[in-house]
Amino acid sequence: MTREFNHILFATLSAILFAGCDSGDIIEKSEEEAGGLSCSASVDFKNTSTWPVDYQIVLAAFDASGEYPQMSKGISKPMAGDTIQLSMVGIPESAQEIAIVLLNKSRKRVANFVTHKISEEERANNIISLGAATIDLLSYDRIQNQFFSNCINCHGASEKAAAGLFLTEGKSYDAIVNVTSSKDPSRKIVAPGLADESFIIHALEGRTDLLHYDHTNVSFNSETEDIALLKSWINSLEQ
């Protein structure tokens, strides 16, 4: 009797479980059912040899604070010439901006590649399109915010700058490109097209004894991530 009762109980429980599965109660929601806003974009990348190593490129949603993403979707390095189709669903209604950005290890926004303010019409339709974009990974915004932001405590955060060299946003480009170094008059700080001849690279790689401060520890990331990026940018400049 006990064995027969156990068989009946097992059959009853199995039927209940299978009925629950058939009802869809434990099936994950589809993208269409995820709720919130959705977005899409078509992106081509230039200079993919400088794809970040320590940082990450993402499609992200930001609220009004704008520093850290509410949600993001990582973008993998594409093959040369490939166009990437991006999409993201379930974007919170509180999102104000959709962007393709560079995030640091703390997931803080470092540099913008594409930014898009969400319109009321898009919010009403729950669909956001960033359209087609071409992103140059050697944009100066990336150089400024990924690299020179590490230098500004000494070079311009206050009213004074070490060696009179301001590397703050809006000042750094004119302060370094084709400008003769005050420490080594035989070299330009940045010699366009000639990274290996640029004084800034000599300083960062410890190839000069003309500085009082060791600049080889300025970078917070690997050489591939920062110094090699800076070299690529210098070499891309027209002489």
Side-chain angles (χ1 to χ4, degrees):
M1 178 67 69
T2 301
R3 182 177 298 176
E4 182 178 353
F5 175 78
N6 287 340
H7 281 302
I8 294 171
L9 179 61
F10 177 78
T12 302
L13 290 173
S14 297
I16 292 172
L17 288 172
F18 280 119
C21 291
D22 290 342
S23 70
D25 290 344
I26 61 174
I27 297 176
E28 292 184 4
K29 290 183 178 181
S30 67
E31 289 192 352
E32 289 77 10
E33 298 171 321
L37 307 171
S38 64
C39 73
S40 62
S42 176
V43 184
D44 292 297
F45 286 94
K46 294 171 59 180
N47 294 305
T48 54
S49 62
T50 63
W51 197 266
V53 177
D54 296 322
Y55 287 0
Q56 185 181 21
I57 298 174
V58 300
L59 174 66
F62 293 89
D63 61 17
S65 64
E67 258 193 334
Y68 296 90
Q70 293 174 288
M71 66 181 298
S72 65
K73 189 172 185 179
I75 302 174
S76 299
K77 180 180 180 180
M79 298 291 289
D82 282 358
T83 297
I84 299 180
Q85 304 299 326
L86 302 174
S87 64
M88 189 164 61
V89 299
I91 300 167
E93 294 290 340
S94 57
Q96 301 295 313
E97 179 187 20
I98 303 296
I100 299 174
V101 300
L102 189 70
L103 299 181
N104 66 14
K105 295 176 183 178
S106 300
R107 299 194 58 75
K108 182 179 179 180
R109 180 178 356 202
V110 175
N112 296 313
F113 295 121
V114 176
T115 59
H116 178 87
K117 295 293 184 182
I118 302 172
S119 70
E120 291 306 314
E121 181 180 357
E122 290 172 325
R123 200 177 295 281
N125 294 328
N126 292 330
I127 298 175
I128 304 160
S129 175
L130 275 65
T134 298
I135 293 174
D136 186 355
L137 295 179
L138 283 180
S139 67
Y140 194 67
D141 181 63
R142 179 185 179 191
I143 304 301
Q144 175 67 49
N145 290 289
Q146 181 174 328
F147 190 84
F148 290 136
S149 62
N150 300 330
C151 311
I152 60 176
N153 281 340
C154 293
H155 291 282
S158 64
E159 294 182 0
K160 296 182 179 180
L165 179 59
F166 283 85
L167 294 178
T168 48
E169 190 170 358
K171 294 183 178 180
S172 58
Y173 188 96
D174 290 338
I176 60 175
V177 177
N178 259 329
V179 175
T180 300
S181 168
S182 62
K183 297 294 184 180
D184 184 355
S186 69
R187 297 188 185 279
K188 303 288 187 182
I189 299 174
V190 166
L194 300 170
D196 213 44
E197 298 300 318
S198 298
F199 183 77
I200 193 171
I201 298 300
H202 284 229
L204 293 169
E205 293 185 336
R207 292 159 57 189
T208 178
D209 58 2
L210 298 174
L211 300 174
H212 298 298
Y213 175 75
D214 180 6
H215 285 67
T216 60
N217 61 357
V218 169
S219 173
F220 293 156
N221 301 298
S222 66
E223 179 179 341
T224 300
E225 183 74 358
D226 278 345
I227 297 177
L229 171 66
L230 188 60
K231 286 181 176 180
S232 294
W233 173 72
I234 294 172
N235 284 330
S236 74
L237 298 174
E238 292 186 5
Q239 295 186 38

